[in-house]
Amino acid sequence: MTDEHEALRRSLRRFVETEINPFADAWEEQGAFPAHELFRKAGKAGFLGISKPVEFGGLGLDYSYNAIAAEEWGRSHSGGVATALGVQTDMATPALARHGSDELRREFLAPAIAGEQVCCIGVSEEGAGSDVASLKTRAVRDGGDYVITGSKMWITNGAQADWMCMLANTSDGPPHRNKSLIVVPLKTKGVTVGRTLNKLGLRSSDTAQIFFDEVRVPVRHRIGEEGMGFIYQMEQFQEERMYAAAKAVAMLQACIDITVDYTRGRRAFGKPLLDNQTIQHKLAAMQAEVEALRAITWRAVDLHVAGENVTQLASIAKYLAGKLALEIPNACLQFWGGQGYMWEARISRIMRDIRLTAIGGGANEIMLQVIAKNMGLSGR
Ligand SMILES: Cc1cc2nc3c(=O)[nH]c(=O)nc-3n(C[C@H](O)[C@H](O)[C@H](O)COP(=O)(O)OP(=O)(O)OC[C@H]3O[C@@H](n4cnc5c(N)ncnc54)[C@H](O)[C@@H]3O)c2cc1C
């Protein structure tokens, strides 16, 4: 870490402490946070375009600075806001920044970096989550437009977003070659944002199903080449997976830290809970696992910054993050006893929020499939 990394970390931390944490409980309660208002502030501070090109308003820094942001958003008291910010910076915009035309980047990337527009990523469908290639939404060419019909499911920021980076079938060819990424403004005729979905965790982030009925979008809204959408999305998933892993490092570390504090203060049988060696050893073992995850995540980030393909390492980091997300918050909550079972306890919120890490953006089993393929163990 350079002084510049640490300076960025300090300003992100200040932002979290003043602009997110004081409101986190109310946003959880309301089931949404004011995305436009918060993103405008984050954009003004430069946090929504840390590794995006300077000509579109980004800071032009390398991805390691972005990973610092993922860690700091993960330290916030709202997993929902941290996820929504990650969608804006690491899920809906990397392909646009990398492959979009200048015109498209001026129209959609620049306002997303400035926080003037909120965006979302539309890959999953009701019948196609893990099996991305089998998605059904179609974008059929008609003159200078694509006409889009279909629906997208579980879309983070879906109820508030101005536009979606959508993966859709643009031809009948083989499933890995027939898809394109298209920027779809969500105020367009034929778009219906369905009900906001009621979730186990990430309750401050809105998640919606969105329907598209013959929605017309100019062909120039396509990101990069036609038929390359699946490949671009697989590239874009690398940032999503590193973001998820770095955010998980911070959330898991928070689980350990707050459990140390709690068990130090809570007494049973005449002494602090933390004086029991079984609890100390369990926390020490968890710390070792979080350090391993941190090291793998930062190795993936470093190699990504060096321009290497990090499919394998980013998938390993995401897999390990998902695995520890199932284990560590649950094990920590145990030491909070009845207090940990309370809805408002921070440990129970982290447990609910981080649970998605093992499912979203490629479930643990899908990560293992990718890792096995990269090891040459399977063709699929
Ligand atoms: C809160 C939330 C927010 C989300 N945000 C977005 C978003 O913004 N944009 C978006 O596009 N998507 C989003 N998603 C969707 C998410 O990425 C998918 O839920 C995820 O990819 C899993 O797909 P699925 O739910 O269809 O599960 P399925 O594909 O039905 O799989 C169910 C389970 O089966 C197992 N499984 C699947 N395939 C295999 C296999 N080959 N071998 C062994 N086991 C397997 C896994 O355990 C998996 O969890 C979000 C989901 C949630 C819950």
Side-chain angles (χ1 to χ4, degrees):
M1 293 295 108
T2 62
D3 288 349
E4 286 76 20
H5 285 96
E6 292 308 335
L8 177 67
R9 191 187 287 287
R10 278 194 301 278
S11 45
L12 283 156
R13 198 164 287 187
R14 217 172 307 120
F15 188 89
V16 166
E17 282 162 8
T18 55
E19 303 295 345
I20 299 178
N21 287 351
F23 313 103
D25 291 350
W27 293 340
E28 281 283 299
E29 211 39 44
Q30 289 156 17
F33 74 99
H36 284 92
E37 193 186 309
L38 184 71
F39 283 12
R40 218 169 276 128
K41 290 179 191 166
K44 218 166 173 191
F47 298 150
L48 299 183
I50 291 171
S51 55
K52 295 292 193 307
V54 175
E55 55 273 40
F56 301 102
L59 299 184
L61 297 167
D62 69 50
Y63 192 78
S64 63
Y65 292 87
N66 214 75
I68 299 267
E71 285 187 343
E72 292 307 314
W73 298 141
R75 282 171 52 90
S76 80
H77 293 183
S78 171
V81 173
T83 301
L85 283 159
V87 165
Q88 182 92 355
T89 57
D90 286 62
M91 300 173 209
T93 48
L96 175 59
R98 205 173 285 129
H99 303 291
S101 67
D102 282 355
E103 186 188 12
L104 207 57
R105 291 190 289 179
R106 266 194 302 275
E107 201 173 337
F108 295 101
L109 181 64
I113 290 172
E116 295 298 330
Q117 291 184 2
V118 174
C119 52
C120 62
I121 174 77
V123 174
S124 304
E125 300 181 359
E126 208 163 2
S130 302
D131 186 5
V132 172
S134 72
L135 64 84
K136 296 283 183 283
T137 298
R138 295 180 63 78
V140 179
R141 267 209 202 218
D142 181 30
D145 292 339
Y146 283 117
V147 180
I148 302 172
T149 301
S151 68
K152 294 289 171 183
M153 186 60 169
W154 303 297
I155 302 306
T156 303
N157 295 347
Q160 300 190 70
D162 298 287
W163 57 267
M164 170 184 282
C165 172
M166 171 194 275
L167 187 64
N169 294 321
T170 42
S171 77
D172 291 325
H176 299 113
R177 293 276 164 200
N178 74 339
K179 296 179 174 40
S180 302
L181 282 176
I182 303 169
V183 174
V184 183
L186 294 176
K187 299 286 181 289
T188 314
K189 185 166 169 265
V191 177
T192 309
V193 178
R195 72 193 163 90
T196 302
L197 304 169
N198 192 11
K199 310 187 294 293
L200 173 72
L202 304 177
R203 295 193 62 84
S204 57
S205 106
D206 57 279
T207 310
Q209 185 171 17
I210 307 185
F211 302 91
F212 302 86
D213 181 15
E214 302 205 343
V215 174
R216 278 188 178 269
V217 173
V219 168
R220 66 176 179 79
H221 278 206
R222 191 187 64 233
I223 296 172
E225 285 177 48
E226 189 166 89
M228 285 295 287
F230 188 86
I231 310 287
Y232 295 158
Q233 183 54 38
M234 292 301 123
E235 275 174 17
Q236 188 161 249
F237 269 142
Q238 304 321 318
E239 269 118 348
E240 172 166 351
R241 287 168 188 164
M242 286 187 283
Y243 182 90
K247 176 162 68 72
V249 166
M251 294 174 83
L252 294 168
Q253 187 64 58
C255 285
I256 296 173
D257 294 346
I258 61 177
T259 303
V260 167
D261 286 348
Y262 184 79
T263 53
R264 185 173 278 134
R266 177 82 177 169
R267 295 177 73 84
F269 303 101
K271 60 180 183 184
L273 284 174
L274 190 58
D275 284 2
N276 289 287
Q277 199 182 44
T278 48
I279 297 181
Q280 293 170 9
H281 283 190
K282 188 80 189 173
L283 288 165
M286 289 191 267
Q287 188 62 59
E289 288 173 320
V290 171
E291 287 303 337
L293 173 61
R294 198 191 314 268
I296 290 168
T297 303
W298 276 97
R299 189 163 136 71
V301 169
D302 283 346
L303 293 178
H304 183 62
V305 170
E308 292 191 28
N309 179 340
V310 290
T311 305
Q312 182 71 335
L313 266 181
S315 306
I316 288 174
K318 167 71 167 57
Y319 164 71
L320 196 57
K323 179 175 173 289
L324 296 181
L326 299 179
E327 296 167 3
I328 289 181
N330 190 38
C332 284
L333 188 147
Q334 179 67 18
F335 300 136
W336 288 61
Q339 189 53 39
Y341 198 71
M342 296 299 103
W343 184 262
E344 65 276 9
R346 183 151 175 235
I347 189 69
S348 78
R349 183 185 297 170
I350 298 179
M351 187 172 119
R352 295 191 302 273
D353 286 354
I354 205 173
R355 183 63 181 83
L356 184 66
T357 312
I359 297 172
N364 282 5
E365 292 82 356
I366 302 307
M367 293 301 93
L368 291 175
Q369 201 168 294
V370 174
I371 296 163
K373 185 180 166 195
N374 273 287
M375 291 166 70
L377 309 182
S378 98
R380 289 205 66 211

